[in-house]
Amino acid sequence: MEKREKFASRLGFILISAGCAIGLGNVWRFPYITGKYGGGAFVLLYIVFLIALTLPIVVMEFGIGRASQKSYARAFEAIEPAGTKWHRIKWIGFIGCYILMMFYMVVSGWLLDYIVKSGSGVFSGLSTSQVADVFSGMLSNPLEMIFWTAVVVLIGALSTRAGLQKGVERITKVLMVALFVVLALLSIRSVTLPGASAGVAFYLIPDFARLTAGGLPGLLEVVYAAMGQAFFTMSVGIGALAIFGSYIDKSHALPGEALRIGALDTVVAFMAGLIIFPACAAFGVNPQGGPGLVFQTLPVVFESMPLGNVWGCLFFIFMSVAALSTVIAVFEFIMSFSMEQWNLSRKQAVLINSCALFVLAIPCALGFNVWSACTVPGIGNIQGIEDFIVSNNLLPLGSLAILVFCTHKRGWGWKNFLKEADEGQGIKFPRCTRVYISYIIPLLIVFILVMGYIPIVSKWISCIAA
């Protein structure tokens, strides 16, 4: 097996870990879900849960990786008590990352496609309904869908084939710098539009009455949405962050690193909203437009601006960079796992996994056209099914397993976890939180699991009754 690489710099670790967390959950899901649940008040609720629910698990994933100095394939075996079977958790991570990429690469391909469409003037002069027709036409074209998926696979393969420092670290640094430059340009342009102030007020001024407008059921739905967004935005539970912990030294304590990465993740999500909501207000677009807001509504908004092609193209470059940073990070997890689990060279791991991922992504691409009839009531098409498996099942189950492993004596244990987390300079993990970490967070994760199934089971019951 090839010699294990290390990051060339601490900045590389922070940017790549942030790149893993920063993705479609920040720039696609966060703005529309914020619009749906009331703007500023929802943002505050999300930040509370990000700190209280998600970041402790991020520290644990980093801790497992750094203590073992191995990929997720061998990390548990290196630190678990003798004779235990905690290493079986690794398959949740490997399977979860595979299924995640099966639909994530397809959606990332849409963004690359829209860069070309925006830059070439496809949306010029089109109404909202006509832009929606462009989006529908893209989804209904299997060759177009498969082509752009293949481009995403190729980007992930080439980035990881070059190695950790020369490929993943170097490319992700460039992507992240580009991300923040484009974010800044778009944010400034959006908030300076005539009439944008109403959108800024909706986004930044909390109105807590919106949280309770639907009574207790409505409040529970908002809390679940905020918890879910905070939980899923960092991609915790499937080991995608643990691999980067294994590439760093012990000079800095892990809680501070997790806070920095969480802050970068939140800044990107926040600035995405700062682009979208003022622009929607300036042009009279409903910010509660749902998932279709980005692909069916915003191109019209950008085309209404001077130099609309430029701003629209920049927006989808920003979206693509965010998505591709996650793709590259998860590819690195998969390649490293394969190299250590099956003793493959990096070249072999990249070739085998890239081919497998491309083939397994095809059903999702075809699920919008040729196989559009393949649906599950309450869940949706193939993309929806794959997303449900990862988001509603593997992420929370994997996180629950990591929590138990790191806090209970039959696993790695609280003392061992704290020792690893606190080693180095910087913020230390609060020891007084043991009861909360060990028992309350697992209950919150169970709450997320149950709430995710309620609307689906209700739909199934309705179908049976009908």
Side-chain angles (χ1 to χ4, degrees):
M1 187 169 63
E2 297 176 1
K3 182 180 178 181
R4 185 171 186 77
E5 292 187 87
K6 296 287 184 182
F7 284 120
S9 65
R10 180 183 174 216
L11 177 63
F13 159 69
I14 292 173
L15 290 179
I16 293 171
S17 298
C20 181
I22 294 167
L24 295 177
N26 302 75
V27 300
W28 176 37
R29 189 174 188 270
F30 180 77
Y32 84 72
I33 203 171
T34 299
K36 179 179 179 181
Y37 290 110
F42 177 83
V43 173
L44 286 179
L45 200 58
Y46 157 75
I47 292 173
V48 168
F49 284 122
L50 179 70
I51 296 170
L53 175 63
T54 307
L55 291 187
I57 307 174
V58 173
V59 176
M60 290 176 180
E61 285 208 25
F62 284 152
I64 290 170
R66 193 173 72 170
S68 66
Q69 289 293 291
K70 296 182 182 297
S71 76
Y72 216 56
R74 301 297 180 191
F76 291 96
E77 294 175 8
I79 61 177
E80 68 185 0
T84 58
K85 304 294 183 182
W86 289 100
H87 56 272
R88 292 176 179 174
I89 296 173
K90 67 185 180 183
W91 296 111
I92 297 178
F94 185 70
I95 294 169
C97 284
Y98 242 85
I99 299 176
L100 172 66
M101 286 296 98
M102 285 160 56
F103 69 86
Y104 200 97
M105 295 187 306
V106 174
V107 179
S108 299
W110 302 352
L111 299 170
L112 295 178
D113 194 356
Y114 262 54
I115 292 174
V116 176
K117 285 180 165 61
S118 296
S120 60
V122 168
F123 301 118
S124 298
L126 299 186
S127 64
T128 303
S129 61
Q130 289 173 321
V131 172
D133 289 339
V134 173
F135 183 62
S136 299
M138 177 188 71
L139 295 183
S140 64
N141 187 331
L143 293 179
E144 186 176 1
M145 294 280 282
I146 291 172
F147 170 78
W148 286 110
T149 300
V151 172
V152 174
V153 174
L154 185 62
I155 291 171
L158 293 176
S159 299
T160 50
R161 174 64 183 86
L164 179 67
Q165 291 186 16
K166 295 181 180 179
V168 177
E169 184 172 358
R170 180 181 295 175
I171 293 170
T172 304
K173 281 181 178 178
V174 174
L175 287 177
M176 294 302 291
V177 171
L179 174 67
F180 283 101
V181 170
V182 175
L183 258 178
L185 288 173
L186 288 171
S187 297
I188 293 169
R189 181 66 186 112
S190 185
V191 299
T192 54
L193 289 169
S197 58
V200 175
F202 170 82
Y203 187 43
L204 298 185
I205 300 176
D207 183 356
F208 293 101
R210 291 173 178 162
L211 301 181
T212 57
L216 181 59
L219 179 60
L220 286 176
E221 183 180 348
V222 175
V223 169
Y224 165 69
M227 289 174 64
Q229 179 63 23
F231 190 75
F232 302 130
T233 188
M234 297 294 288
S235 302
V236 292
I238 53 176
L241 292 171
I243 179 59
F244 302 121
S246 74
Y247 289 143
I248 58 173
D249 58 32
K250 297 177 183 288
S251 59
H252 293 86
L254 296 175
E257 306 293 64
L259 280 171
R260 290 179 184 88
I261 291 159
L264 285 174
D265 180 79
T266 303
V267 165
V268 171
F270 175 80
M271 291 182 72
L274 208 55
I275 294 168
I276 290 173
F277 292 114
C280 287
F283 292 96
V285 172
N286 180 11
Q288 301 178 357
L293 182 68
V294 166
F295 294 103
Q296 301 180 49
T297 305
L298 287 182
V300 180
V301 171
F302 290 119
E303 287 301 324
S304 301
M305 300 179 185
L307 300 176
N309 286 8
V310 175
W311 295 112
C313 189
L314 279 176
F315 177 77
F316 286 105
I317 288 174
F318 149 63
M319 294 280 289
S320 298
V321 168
L324 290 174
S325 68
T326 299
V327 169
I328 293 170
V330 176
F331 262 56
E332 178 59 21
F333 168 92
I334 292 172
M335 303 315 165
S336 298
F337 187 104
S338 301
M339 289 162 65
E340 291 196 6
Q341 179 66 32
W342 294 294
N343 197 27
L344 300 175
S345 67
R346 180 171 285 270
K347 182 178 180 180
Q348 291 171 326
V350 170
L351 179 61
I352 293 169
N353 284 293
S354 298
C355 291
L357 285 165
F358 173 67
V359 171
L360 292 173
I362 290 176
C364 177
L366 298 182
F368 294 93
N369 38 76
V370 178
W371 292 345
S372 59
C374 298
T375 60
V376 173
I379 298 178
N381 60 9
I382 294 173
Q383 184 269 328
I385 296 168
E386 292 171 349
D387 189 5
F388 173 75
I389 291 171
V390 176
S391 300
N392 292 59
N393 295 275
L394 296 181
L395 287 177
L397 287 173
S399 296
L400 191 59
I402 289 170
L403 271 168
V404 175
F405 176 70
C406 290
T407 56
H408 290 274
K409 60 183 179 182
R410 293 183 180 178
W412 192 25
W414 178 253
K415 290 183 179 179
N416 289 327
F417 160 66
L418 278 183
K419 181 181 177 182
E420 182 61 43
D422 290 348
E423 186 164 353
Q425 299 177 350
I427 300 171
K428 308 301 181 184
F429 200 93
R431 296 172 183 270
C432 61
T433 60
R434 180 172 184 177
V435 172
Y436 169 74
I437 299 291
S438 302
Y439 301 103
I440 304 302
I441 291 185
L443 289 177
L444 294 176
I445 293 175
V446 171
F447 172 75
I448 292 174
L449 273 165
V450 172
M451 287 292 291
Y453 270 90
I454 288 175
I456 295 169
V457 173
S458 298
K459 181 69 175 181
W460 291 346
I461 293 173
S462 300
C463 291
I464 294 172

